[in-house]
Amino acid sequence: MADQAERERDGGRARIGELYAAWRPYLLGMAYRMLGSVADAEDAVQDLFAALRGDRLPDIDNPKAYLVRGLTNRCLNAMKAAARRRVDYVGEWLPEPWLETPDSTSGEVERRDDMSYAYLVMLERLTPLERAVVVLREAFGYDYAEIAGMLDKTEAACRKTLSRAKRKLGERGAHLSPRRPAGERERVRRWVSALAGGRIGDILELIAEDAVFVTDGGGKTRAAINPIYGRERVAALLETIANRRFPGASLHIALINDARGIVAARDGRAAAVICFDWNGDGTVRRLYAVLNPEKLERLAVPAP
């Protein structure tokens, strides 16, 4: 009898291992888009699998639905806790960026060509429930019946939640998919050159008149507390950052959240990440700089 129980436990652990290997990237990608943090996403996924018991697994008819429902509930709780913590956050809070590099932990997030960094920023306007519905519906394509089952809501309530979320995001909201202008690499290369040399005047025509620049230092390093509006003010702050932070640093073009951005590295560690939200004419309408070292410590610096 004891041997049978032990075999069942071993079988259960093996099954959990199989589910973990099969679904971890998918679940991690979902949790990241809900939470805006790879570290928090990993915690949510780990907690989900740690809570599984082998003797319950034979009753799971649809492992994917079971796992997504459990993860969504954990993410909702994590979002509520994060909202309370961010009340005391110094300055603007930006999502943790992830780089597509072979040796980056965040590279294990399943790639989805459907959510830009700018859109992740915009999702911060939403309540936890609204954000969960947007991610499940818009990024992962679940129908309303599936979402209702995951959230214990009616289909009508989920439709209303999505409609309310879209109104909050607004017409000028960021595109769900990254907008990649013609000649994106060359444009970003010009930004690298200008920032490396402190010559922001060289790229003024690449900055929209009504550009917005958001920096996140988290109180750990110097950064603008509030967003900066307008081409001239954005250029002035860029020049300050270039002259103070980038001397002695190497600047790399990297794929960040499925679009080209810039990573500044010093002593083999990321010191800043810059992400772009482009207009259709190839000018930058929103610029994001993650400077908080706690959000950069996990990033693998890309090769030049």
Side-chain angles (χ1 to χ4, degrees):
M1 199 74 165
D3 290 344
Q4 168 112 12
E6 184 62 31
R7 282 195 298 272
E8 288 178 358
R9 282 193 293 271
D10 288 345
R13 284 192 289 266
R15 178 61 175 146
I16 291 173
E18 291 171 2
L19 290 172
Y20 184 81
W23 290 105
R24 180 180 180 274
Y26 182 84
L27 296 170
L28 187 56
M30 180 178 290
Y32 168 67
R33 285 159 182 82
M34 288 191 187
L35 302 174
S37 164
V38 176
D40 290 346
E42 287 182 332
D43 288 343
V45 174
Q46 289 295 123
D47 182 62
L48 171 65
F49 281 96
L52 289 177
R53 289 193 177 93
D55 58 0
R56 295 180 58 189
L57 292 179
D59 299 328
I60 301 174
D61 294 327
N62 187 335
K64 179 182 179 182
Y66 179 87
L67 293 170
V68 169
R69 179 187 174 98
L71 180 73
T72 299
N73 288 329
R74 284 166 173 76
C75 286
L76 284 169
N77 291 333
M79 282 188 273
K80 292 171 186 175
R84 292 190 291 269
R85 292 197 305 270
R86 287 173 197 166
V87 170
D88 299 322
Y89 196 82
V90 178
E92 295 290 314
W93 189 95
L94 289 175
E96 179 185 341
W98 68 272
L99 275 63
E100 292 186 37
T101 57
D103 55 351
S104 173
T105 300
S106 55
E108 297 176 14
V109 174
E110 180 177 275
R111 178 176 169 174
R112 309 262 320 168
D113 298 331
D114 57 4
M115 188 168 284
S116 66
Y117 185 83
Y119 200 82
L120 276 177
V121 175
M122 297 290 284
L123 290 182
E124 291 301 312
R125 299 181 179 186
L126 307 180
T127 66
L129 179 62
E130 289 166 348
R131 182 162 182 160
V133 171
V134 168
V135 170
L136 291 169
R137 175 67 179 169
E138 302 292 289
F140 286 83
Y142 287 95
D143 62 36
Y144 287 107
E146 291 172 310
I147 297 171
M150 293 172 192
L151 300 175
D152 291 324
K153 305 289 183 183
T154 65
E155 290 185 46
C158 292
R159 290 179 187 275
K160 283 186 179 180
T161 299
L162 182 64
S163 177
R164 184 170 62 246
K166 287 188 172 182
R167 286 197 300 273
K168 285 185 180 182
L169 295 176
E171 293 181 3
R172 279 281 293 171
H175 289 262
L176 182 69
S177 300
R179 177 174 268 173
R180 317 258 316 245
E184 179 194 33
R185 177 180 286 278
E186 176 59 22
R187 290 177 186 276
V188 177
R189 188 199 63 76
R190 288 184 61 191
W191 275 84
V192 167
S193 178
L195 290 169
R199 301 184 303 274
I200 306 305
D202 292 351
I203 55 170
L204 272 181
E205 78 276 13
L206 298 182
I207 305 173
E209 284 279 3
D210 59 349
V212 182
F213 187 15
V214 182
T215 61
D216 177 351
K220 311 296 181 182
T221 188
R222 294 183 66 178
I225 296 295
N226 299 306
I228 304 300
Y229 296 90
R231 174 188 287 164
E232 299 303 324
R233 295 188 66 203
V234 168
L237 180 56
L238 280 169
E239 188 166 343
T240 298
I241 289 176
N243 291 328
R244 288 181 178 174
R245 301 187 68 88
F246 295 161
S250 56
L251 273 62
H252 311 263
I253 297 176
L255 274 177
I256 304 166
N257 293 77
D258 198 39
R260 287 186 175 89
I262 300 172
V263 177
R266 184 179 290 106
D267 299 325
R269 301 176 66 87
V273 169
I274 296 176
C275 301
F276 302 95
D277 182 24
W278 304 91
N279 283 315
D281 63 2
T283 59
V284 171
R285 64 173 183 166
R286 293 188 184 93
L287 186 66
Y288 305 101
V290 180
L291 307 172
N292 184 343
E294 292 181 352
K295 295 184 180 181
L296 302 174
E297 62 186 3
R298 302 162 57 82
L299 299 185
V301 176

